[in-house]
Amino acid sequence: MAGKLRPLAEELCALTEEDWALYVFEGDPLSGKLTREQKLDYAAKAAACGQKMAEKLARDQGPLPVAERIAALGGRLDIPPEETGGPLPLFASFTEPDLVTIYPGNARRTDDLRREEGLEDLLGPVPTGEVLLAHELFHLLEYRDPGIYTRQKHLLLWRLGRWENRSAIFCLSEMAAMAFAQRLSGLACSVYVLDVVMLYVSNPQLALKKREDILNFVRRRKG
Ligand SMILES: [Zn+2]
């Protein structure tokens, strides 16, 4: 698999924010109810929400490692030894109400590989673990703010007389978390790229397949 990571990262770095937004929407169960324009509008607002929160936090707390930001906000951090199990590795997670978990093994190996393959010009120097922690920190802040954009029920599913059923759009939460993590950490590329690079470290075949899926989706869409 040596030599395949650099082209993968280059191809994914060339994608636009719109490409990523529409690709991520594909995985949302409500995707079929939205037009392309609506998806791009929601995605742009979700990204802006994440970016503004990152800027505010950086202003309020000053420069700090993300683990210290989480601690200062009263969050708990768990760093268990290696996660074992299925082909889809879990890198980090947030558990309500206040627990951030990170599996540091994959993050460290990703940093090693980024160095070995010379990806600094594409991804910059920010450690993978900082980006992961920042992503989960967004979910902590989101959990504490019921009025946040990503939790609002944007979509009217049906209406019957005075009754209506509205739903939040789940992928907006991930989009905002990705934008927050990139803004707070200063990662040089989209966090979606780093996500595939991390997958490559633990399962190269799966990462190459994901690259294929993403690029095919973007090509199809541009017809
Ligand atoms: Zn997330």
Side-chain angles (χ1 to χ4, degrees), residues 92-94 135-136 138-139 142 173-175 177-178:
S93 65
F94 170 67
H135 179 114
E136 303 308 330
F138 174 82
H139 289 312
E142 180 185 42
S173 169
E174 285 312 297
M175 289 180 186
M178 292 301 204

Side-chain angles (χ1 to χ4, degrees), residues 61-168:
Q61 293 187 324
L64 274 184
V66 183
E68 288 178 34
R69 294 190 189 282
I70 292 170
L73 291 163
R76 291 181 297 135
L77 187 60
D78 187 23
I79 310 178
E82 205 60 21
E83 201 237 353
T84 52
L88 256 187
L90 185 65
F91 303 127
S93 65
F94 170 67
T95 309
E96 296 171 3
D98 61 3
L99 180 64
V100 172
T101 304
I102 180 168
Y103 301 94
N106 186 277
R108 259 196 307 270
R109 284 195 298 281
T110 302
D111 288 342
D112 292 343
L113 198 64
R114 282 167 60 183
R115 257 192 311 276
E116 284 161 27
E117 302 260 335
L119 301 183
E120 287 90 348
D121 59 324
L122 297 170
L123 276 68
V126 178
T128 301
E130 287 290 283
V131 183
L132 287 174
L133 286 176
H135 179 114
E136 303 308 330
L137 170 54
F138 174 82
H139 289 312
L140 171 69
L141 297 171
E142 180 185 42
Y143 172 75
R144 289 178 174 179
D145 181 2
I148 191 172
Y149 181 75
T150 54
R151 286 176 65 182
Q152 290 169 21
K153 298 196 168 181
H154 297 288
L155 208 60
L156 179 63
L157 296 181
W158 49 259
R159 179 178 282 150
L160 184 68
R162 288 184 302 109
W163 303 90
E164 62 174 40
N165 185 2
R166 287 184 169 268
S167 174

